[in-house]
Amino acid sequence: MSLKSISIPRPDDWHLHLRDDSILAAVLPNTARIFGRAIVMPNLRPAVCTARAAVAYRSRIEALIPEGSNFTPLMTAYLTDATDPLELRAGWNDGIFSAAKLYPAGATTNAEDGITDILQLDNVFEMLQELSMPLLIHGETMNQQVDIFDREAVFIEDTLLPLRQRYPAMRIIFEHITTNEAVAFVEAADENVAATITPHHLMLNRNDIFKDGLRPHYYCLPVAKREHHRRSLRVAATSGNPKFFLGTDSAPHLTTDKESDCGCAGVYNAATAMSCYTQVFDEEQSLDKLAGFASHHGPDFYHLPRNTETITLTRAGTLEQPPDIDINGGKIRQFLPETPVHWHLIHEQPQ
Ligand code: NCD
Ligand code: ZN
């Protein structure tokens, strides 16, 4: 018998790009009306590297939270080759930083100031390990000789496994995983390692990026992989294993920046993510595991309380493509796969 509606504790988004200024103002309400909290990525220009910058960014976000929403932004520190571990400690102890973010230099949007040699960051890793402060990792090798579809798997061998050996007590979240190798790595690791999974990596494989022509709005990093990898991600997400939890990697870019000679990586999915995740769990006959993935495993890993409010989704007709978001004449395309999505967010508890 198939369910017609499902209520789960209000989910949190453990990997989110909100940007700044007019894009922040336009996209924040979509997240704030659905999710209780979000781990906010620090890849602004300039990047959010200090506690002071994080406080200022948090204030800009808080000023735009819609009335009636209890949304809480959780801030992250952007690691560079010059990060001072004492800055991390102060930001963590003051409750400003919830995690530190490691981008290999050049890995993705605004990652120019990221880490050039991960094995040279010992003072930072020692501090993170001592504080039990989570390290969020964009896990792709920056060796341009490596095929783009192999960069996550190579990163595990080259970097993650040695890092784990040297800092076994460091708490790591392997972000937006895309491969069977990443699933296997996380499953084999102890309780200090977890991973986030995006809706689009559960719904798209690499063929979808090229179906009937080039689909710039399905292009993100790490890029979607072969079908068998997508299958592994779906099994992991719906398994009930607390090491896997929700992180949308919602990453807005103007359509003009995506539909160009050198299009930006990033999928904007904040408004459609919960419908998409629920659709995937329904297809996998695992709706009973949705609350764990979306609402329990994340706060448990971060040692934060679970949300007590609920949201409800109902199964109905096919979700239609939501309109582009308008930004001073520019537009942001919202993610929806070509395969039908039947789950609609219908109800939010009064707050
Ligand atoms: C993200 C962005 O645009 O900031 N893009 C993406 O494709 N996911 C950066 C990131 O998380 O890699
Ligand atoms: Zn991201």
Side-chain angles (χ1 to χ4, degrees):
M1 210 198 67
S2 68
L3 270 183
K4 278 261 178 339
S5 83
I6 181 169
S7 292
I8 59 168
R10 185 177 292 286
D12 303 299
D13 186 350
W14 301 100
H15 182 129
L16 173 69
H17 300 269
L18 285 173
R19 315 301 191 205
D20 218 338
D21 306 317
S22 55
I23 296 192
L24 169 63
V27 302
L28 179 64
N30 276 338
T31 290
R33 74 189 161 82
I34 301 169
F35 296 95
R37 294 162 288 201
I39 283 282
V40 179
M41 288 296 124
N43 62 333
L44 304 182
R45 261 203 190 123
V48 179
C49 299
T50 62
R52 193 191 161 103
V55 167
Y57 185 30
R58 187 172 64 188
S59 305
R60 298 198 294 282
I61 296 167
E62 283 168 347
L64 293 165
I65 295 173
E67 194 121 343
S69 162
N70 286 332
F71 176 72
T72 305
L74 304 174
M75 310 313 289
T76 55
Y78 184 115
L79 297 179
T80 72
D81 291 342
T83 296
D84 178 355
L86 298 178
E87 180 73 19
L88 294 178
R89 184 168 72 187
W92 172 258
N93 286 340
D94 290 346
I96 299 161
F97 291 139
S98 295
K101 173 69 194 238
L102 192 160
Y103 290 102
T108 185
T109 308
N110 297 349
E112 296 77 8
D113 300 325
I115 301 305
T116 52
D117 185 355
I118 291 175
L119 301 176
Q120 298 294 316
L121 218 59
D122 289 301
N123 54 359
V124 164
F125 297 142
E126 273 156 25
M127 181 60 81
L128 294 175
Q129 181 165 262
E130 184 189 317
L131 297 172
S132 270
M133 178 174 175
L135 174 64
L136 316 182
I137 302 187
H138 182 113
E140 287 191 282
T141 179
M142 280 308 97
N143 180 349
Q144 300 299 306
Q145 306 302 311
V146 175
D147 189 280
I148 190 167
F149 294 102
D150 297 332
R151 286 181 192 168
E152 185 174 278
V154 169
F155 184 86
I156 295 169
E157 298 293 323
D158 276 11
T159 308
L160 269 184
L161 286 168
L163 190 64
R164 286 274 302 145
Q165 271 187 349
R166 286 162 64 212
Y167 300 98
M170 186 161 64
R171 310 187 70 238
I172 291 176
I173 301 177
F174 193 173
E175 300 205 277
H176 42 50
I177 58 170
T178 62
T179 58
N180 180 44
E181 287 86 343
V183 169
F185 167 81
V186 172
E187 281 175 349
D190 63 21
E191 73 284 354
N192 290 323
V193 175
T196 55
I197 307 181
T198 77
H200 40 286
H201 288 112
L202 292 170
M203 296 187 118
L204 305 176
N205 65 30
R206 67 189 203 178
N207 285 339
D208 293 303
I209 307 169
F210 304 102
K211 185 161 173 252
D212 304 326
L214 184 60
R215 307 294 188 106
H217 298 287
Y218 290 164
Y219 172 58
C220 69
L221 287 170
V223 70
K225 307 294 194 296
R226 288 177 184 273
E227 175 61 10
H228 74 91
H229 293 294
R230 187 181 75 105
R231 291 264 7 122
S232 287
L233 296 174
R234 287 171 80 108
V235 171
T238 60
S239 66
N241 184 336
K243 287 160 163 284
F244 299 103
F245 47 85
L246 185 157
T248 64
D249 196 15
S250 180
H253 291 278
L254 295 178
T255 51
T256 44
D257 291 331
K258 288 192 66 67
E259 300 166 4
S260 82
D261 281 351
C262 188
C264 294
V267 166
Y268 176 66
N269 62 21
T272 52
M274 279 319 299
S275 295
C276 290
Y277 282 122
T278 309
Q279 180 68 33
V280 168
F281 278 68
D282 188 8
E283 287 167 5
E284 299 296 323
Q285 293 170 5
S286 305
L287 283 172
D288 59 320
K289 302 291 194 320
L290 181 65
F293 177 81
S295 318
H296 296 159
H297 303 164
D300 292 355
F301 188 86
Y302 276 86
H303 302 145
L304 292 169
R306 296 175 178 180
N307 293 325
T308 51
E309 299 164 354
T310 58
I311 63 162
T312 301
L313 294 109
T314 187
R315 194 178 203 286
T318 308
L319 203 69
E320 284 180 15
Q321 175 66 41
D324 290 352
I325 293 180
D326 220 66
I327 301 192
N328 303 331
K331 287 182 187 322
I332 292 171
R333 183 67 41 83
Q334 306 208 50
F335 172 68
L336 200 65
E338 289 202 327
T339 49
V341 173
H342 293 290
W343 289 89
H344 302 246
L345 201 56
I346 55 156
H347 178 64
E348 286 155 46
Q349 290 293 78
Q351 305 195 6

mmCIF file of all heavy atoms in Angstrom, residues 15-17 41 43 101 103 138 176 221 249-251, ligand 2:
data_model
loop_
_atom_site.group_PDB
_atom_site.id
_atom_site.type_symbol
_atom_site.label_atom_id
_atom_site.label_comp_id
_atom_site.label_asym_id
_atom_site.label_seq_id
_atom_site.Cartn_x
_atom_site.Cartn_y
_atom_site.Cartn_z
ATOM 1 N N HIS A 15 24.318 21.374 4.103
ATOM 2 C CA HIS A 15 25.263 21.941 3.105
ATOM 3 C C HIS A 15 24.483 22.870 2.186
ATOM 4 O O HIS A 15 23.734 22.425 1.325
ATOM 5 C CB HIS A 15 25.928 20.829 2.281
ATOM 6 C CG HIS A 15 26.925 21.346 1.293
ATOM 7 N ND1 HIS A 15 28.206 20.847 1.194
ATOM 8 C CD2 HIS A 15 26.861 22.322 0.360
ATOM 9 C CE1 HIS A 15 28.868 21.492 0.248
ATOM 10 N NE2 HIS A 15 28.055 22.393 -0.285
ATOM 11 N N LEU A 16 24.693 24.172 2.363
ATOM 12 C CA LEU A 16 23.878 25.142 1.630
ATOM 13 C C LEU A 16 24.705 26.360 1.238
ATOM 14 O O LEU A 16 25.467 26.890 2.046
ATOM 15 C CB LEU A 16 22.722 25.597 2.536
ATOM 16 C CG LEU A 16 21.851 26.746 2.008
ATOM 17 C CD1 LEU A 16 21.026 26.281 0.805
ATOM 18 C CD2 LEU A 16 20.928 27.270 3.108
ATOM 19 N N HIS A 17 24.498 26.830 0.006
ATOM 20 C CA HIS A 17 25.082 28.105 -0.434
ATOM 21 C C HIS A 17 23.979 29.149 -0.482
ATOM 22 O O HIS A 17 22.990 28.972 -1.197
ATOM 23 C CB HIS A 17 25.694 27.960 -1.841
ATOM 24 C CG HIS A 17 26.775 26.943 -1.892
ATOM 25 N ND1 HIS A 17 28.097 27.241 -1.676
ATOM 26 C CD2 HIS A 17 26.732 25.602 -2.101
ATOM 27 C CE1 HIS A 17 28.818 26.141 -1.759
ATOM 28 N NE2 HIS A 17 28.028 25.130 -2.017
ATOM 29 N N MET A 41 27.624 27.629 3.615
ATOM 30 C CA MET A 41 28.962 27.565 3.020
ATOM 31 C C MET A 41 29.619 28.952 3.015
ATOM 32 O O MET A 41 28.934 29.963 2.799
ATOM 33 C CB MET A 41 28.879 27.011 1.612
ATOM 34 C CG MET A 41 28.560 25.535 1.588
ATOM 35 S SD MET A 41 29.896 24.579 2.359
ATOM 36 C CE MET A 41 28.998 23.705 3.608
ATOM 37 N N ASN A 43 31.953 30.155 0.919
ATOM 38 C CA ASN A 43 32.693 30.507 -0.315
ATOM 39 C C ASN A 43 32.142 31.766 -0.981
ATOM 40 O O ASN A 43 31.755 31.765 -2.136
ATOM 41 C CB ASN A 43 32.744 29.324 -1.303
ATOM 42 C CG ASN A 43 31.382 28.861 -1.789
ATOM 43 O OD1 ASN A 43 30.377 29.033 -1.095
ATOM 44 N ND2 ASN A 43 31.338 28.283 -2.970
ATOM 45 N N LYS A 101 35.470 24.420 6.681
ATOM 46 C CA LYS A 101 35.257 23.900 5.326
ATOM 47 C C LYS A 101 36.561 23.849 4.553
ATOM 48 O O LYS A 101 37.261 24.859 4.446
ATOM 49 C CB LYS A 101 34.260 24.815 4.600
ATOM 50 C CG LYS A 101 34.078 24.496 3.127
ATOM 51 C CD LYS A 101 33.355 23.176 2.927
ATOM 52 C CE LYS A 101 33.461 22.697 1.504
ATOM 53 N NZ LYS A 101 32.204 22.492 0.834
ATOM 54 N N TYR A 103 38.158 23.381 0.982
ATOM 55 C CA TYR A 103 38.116 23.262 -0.478
ATOM 56 C C TYR A 103 39.541 23.068 -0.971
ATOM 57 O O TYR A 103 40.404 23.923 -0.696
ATOM 58 C CB TYR A 103 37.612 24.565 -1.122
ATOM 59 C CG TYR A 103 36.163 24.892 -0.905
ATOM 60 C CD1 TYR A 103 35.795 25.844 0.037
ATOM 61 C CD2 TYR A 103 35.173 24.288 -1.656
ATOM 62 C CE1 TYR A 103 34.463 26.174 0.228
ATOM 63 C CE2 TYR A 103 33.839 24.611 -1.470
ATOM 64 C CZ TYR A 103 33.493 25.553 -0.530
ATOM 65 O OH TYR A 103 32.173 25.874 -0.336
ATOM 66 N N HIS A 138 35.292 19.110 0.612
ATOM 67 C CA HIS A 138 34.969 18.940 -0.806
ATOM 68 C C HIS A 138 35.999 17.946 -1.345
ATOM 69 O O HIS A 138 37.152 18.296 -1.548
ATOM 70 C CB HIS A 138 35.049 20.282 -1.545
ATOM 71 C CG HIS A 138 34.673 20.170 -2.998
ATOM 72 N ND1 HIS A 138 33.534 20.759 -3.519
ATOM 73 C CD2 HIS A 138 35.259 19.518 -4.020
ATOM 74 C CE1 HIS A 138 33.451 20.471 -4.809
ATOM 75 N NE2 HIS A 138 34.485 19.733 -5.144
ATOM 76 N N HIS A 176 28.620 16.070 -0.257
ATOM 77 C CA HIS A 176 27.998 15.800 -1.561
ATOM 78 C C HIS A 176 28.679 14.644 -2.298
ATOM 79 O O HIS A 176 29.212 14.799 -3.381
ATOM 80 C CB HIS A 176 27.925 17.055 -2.443
ATOM 81 C CG HIS A 176 29.138 17.947 -2.440
ATOM 82 N ND1 HIS A 176 30.403 17.482 -2.635
ATOM 83 C CD2 HIS A 176 29.247 19.279 -2.279
ATOM 84 C CE1 HIS A 176 31.258 18.496 -2.590
ATOM 85 N NE2 HIS A 176 30.573 19.601 -2.361
ATOM 86 N N LEU A 221 29.443 20.432 -9.224
ATOM 87 C CA LEU A 221 30.650 19.721 -8.798
ATOM 88 C C LEU A 221 30.443 19.163 -7.400
ATOM 89 O O LEU A 221 29.888 19.868 -6.555
ATOM 90 C CB LEU A 221 31.859 20.658 -8.821
ATOM 91 C CG LEU A 221 32.349 20.999 -10.234
ATOM 92 C CD1 LEU A 221 33.387 22.101 -10.196
ATOM 93 C CD2 LEU A 221 32.907 19.761 -10.932
ATOM 94 N N ASP A 249 23.342 21.047 -1.067
ATOM 95 C CA ASP A 249 24.316 21.753 -1.921
ATOM 96 C C ASP A 249 23.597 22.703 -2.875
ATOM 97 O O ASP A 249 24.050 22.934 -3.995
ATOM 98 C CB ASP A 249 25.214 20.787 -2.698
ATOM 99 C CG ASP A 249 26.443 21.488 -3.264
ATOM 100 O OD1 ASP A 249 26.752 22.611 -2.831
ATOM 101 O OD2 ASP A 249 27.086 20.901 -4.165
ATOM 102 N N SER A 250 22.469 23.234 -2.431
ATOM 103 C CA SER A 250 21.761 24.228 -3.250
ATOM 104 C C SER A 250 22.725 25.382 -3.528
ATOM 105 O O SER A 250 23.254 25.991 -2.597
ATOM 106 C CB SER A 250 20.535 24.717 -2.479
ATOM 107 O OG SER A 250 19.837 25.663 -3.244
ATOM 108 N N ALA A 251 22.977 25.664 -4.805
ATOM 109 C CA ALA A 251 24.058 26.587 -5.186
ATOM 110 C C ALA A 251 23.597 27.475 -6.330
ATOM 111 O O ALA A 251 23.785 27.165 -7.504
ATOM 112 C CB ALA A 251 25.297 25.786 -5.593
HETATM 113 ZN ZN ZN B 2 28.526 23.179 -2.083
#
